[in-house]
Amino acid sequence: MDDTLVKTNKHNNIGNRPDLNSVIPVTTGAMASGNGWQSVKFGNSATGRYIALQCFDTQDGTPLSVAEIYLRDVNGQRIARDQWQVKYANSENEKGNHTGDKAFDLQESTYWQTEESAEMPHLLVISLMFSYSEEEL
């Protein structure tokens, strides 16, 4: 079978990878190791059509996993996720069906996970499809 005909669900088209070198992040920080819900407050609201999650290090060297991203608007209301689309993911573990879209698919049992051998930094870019002012992640 010709390898070029193998179907993939990956979102790693290099043409979609943004150059974040000249961008000032809205917020930076570190997440606690382990499972469970975690929140990131932006401090100030930010307006945009895309959200980029970039990870420079995992605390224990294991693949990165992210499940169920929610965004809240400046009024504290959750932004609907039904039209979100993954624009880019540097690594996705297809063997476990852990592609980037699983980070917001309304299923708490699924998640985005990078491949075991993927090099840092990890990057997931999500198109919100519309511009919003966000308060927290």
Side-chain angles (χ1 to χ4, degrees):
M1 179 178 197
D2 187 348
D3 286 340
T4 60
L5 298 178
V6 175
K7 181 168 176 9
T8 181
N9 292 321
K10 290 187 176 183
H11 302 91
N12 60 358
N13 180 339
I14 198 66
N16 290 333
R17 181 182 177 93
D19 179 5
L20 300 178
N21 291 322
S22 61
V23 176
I24 298 171
V26 173
T27 192
T28 61
M31 305 298 269
S33 181
N35 298 328
W37 292 102
Q38 298 187 40
S39 295
V40 174
K41 301 228 183 235
F42 290 163
N44 296 312
S45 65
T47 301
R49 181 177 173 178
Y50 299 94
I51 185 163
L53 302 176
Q54 191 170 34
C55 175
F56 293 98
D57 186 22
T58 58
Q59 295 173 350
D60 57 6
T62 60
L64 175 67
S65 298
V66 176
E68 296 319 302
I69 297 170
Y70 292 93
L71 293 176
R72 296 187 183 275
D73 65 20
V74 293
N75 298 315
Q77 301 299 309
R78 281 189 180 170
I79 296 173
R81 304 179 298 171
D82 56 338
Q83 294 189 27
W84 291 8
Q85 295 178 357
V86 174
K87 182 74 171 167
Y88 180 82
N90 76 299
S91 176
E92 297 168 290
N93 182 354
E94 282 187 303
K95 291 180 183 170
N97 191 25
H98 300 301
T99 52
D101 55 317
K102 302 302 185 264
F104 57 87
D105 67 350
L106 305 174
Q107 302 293 321
E108 292 181 16
S109 61
T110 62
Y111 49 92
W112 167 51
Q113 183 180 56
T114 58
E115 295 172 296
E116 186 80 33
S117 61
E119 291 185 27
M120 298 284 184
H122 296 310
L123 177 63
L124 178 66
V125 179
I126 301 168
S127 171
L128 308 176
M129 302 306 288
F130 302 98
S131 289
Y132 292 96
S133 291
E134 292 112 15
E135 189 75 9
E136 64 181 48
L137 168 65

